[in-house]
Amino acid sequence: MTSDEAVSGLQRVILNERSRLLRFLVARGAGDEAEDVLQDLWQRVAAAPSEPIADSISYLFRAAENLMRDRRRSTVSRARRQQEWHEVSVPETEAPKGERALIAREQLRRVETALAELGPRTDHVFRRYRLDGVGQAVIARELGISLSSVEKDLQKAYRALAQLKAAFDAD
């Protein structure tokens, strides 16, 4: 199979319409993420079963816009979760001092230990996603693993942290 045969019909349309798709995404607010959205579109098209599509160009533009919307929702949702976590974990009126600072350092140590015990990949995936703000698809590409594996690693980390939080609340 030549590399030309490995490219599906829709992927060929993406290659032909790449500059238009990028301009379209930038005009709709994707900014610097336009290339990433286009890469996500490429991967989705590659993974999708090949079925005939009447107007492939319209289909791709609509799919690109939907991907961009999904990314925007994800970013807003992540920011909301982080804000809510911050509001719940550190009341504005109380700055950590003395005993509270000591407890906070101990809890942080326990969190880092719990993440390390999950294995280096799960720890890395969690930190890249939650602390660095890198998208799951990007992490999967960086590590050469499937998106499903990234999601499973994140679920493992979230379960471990939820158990740890329950233990902190019980103390």
Side-chain angles (χ1 to χ4, degrees), residues 130-148:
R130 293 298 297 177
L131 301 179
D132 299 339
V134 177
Q136 292 179 16
V138 173
I139 295 168
R141 281 193 306 270
E142 287 176 357
L143 298 177
I145 60 176
S146 69
L147 183 58
S148 175

Side-chain angles (χ1 to χ4, degrees), residues 122-136:
T122 302
D123 184 37
H124 178 77
V125 167
F126 178 79
R127 289 174 188 276
R128 290 287 287 152
Y129 183 69
R130 293 298 297 177
L131 301 179
D132 299 339
V134 177
Q136 292 179 16

Side-chain angles (χ1 to χ4, degrees), residues 143-167:
L143 298 177
I145 60 176
S146 69
L147 183 58
S148 175
S149 294
V150 170
E151 291 169 349
K152 288 176 184 172
D153 285 344
L154 287 172
Q155 289 172 357
K156 263 199 288 189
Y158 291 146
R159 273 193 301 275
L161 293 177
Q163 290 172 348
L164 200 51
K165 184 171 180 342

Side-chain angles (χ1 to χ4, degrees), residues 78-92:
R78 183 180 315 119
R80 187 178 313 121
R81 277 193 313 268
Q82 289 173 344
Q83 178 64 32
E84 289 170 355
W85 174 256
H86 178 72
E87 288 172 358
V88 170
S89 63
V90 180
E92 287 182 33

Side-chain angles (χ1 to χ4, degrees), residues 66-121:
N66 288 340
L67 279 170
M68 191 179 70
R69 258 192 225 121
D70 290 347
R71 282 174 150 257
R72 190 174 300 131
R73 283 186 196 126
S74 176
T75 300
V76 168
S77 178
R78 183 180 315 119
R80 187 178 313 121
R81 277 193 313 268
Q82 289 173 344
Q83 178 64 32
E84 289 170 355
W85 174 256
H86 178 72
E87 288 172 358
V88 170
S89 63
V90 180
E92 287 182 33
T93 57
E94 293 182 40
K97 51 187 161 189
E99 186 177 344
R100 285 183 48 82
L102 182 63
I103 292 170
R105 278 194 298 273
E106 174 60 23
Q107 288 178 341
L108 177 60
R109 186 193 61 72
R110 288 174 63 187
V111 166
E112 288 175 339
T113 300
L115 288 174
E117 287 173 354
L118 296 174
R121 188 180 85 188

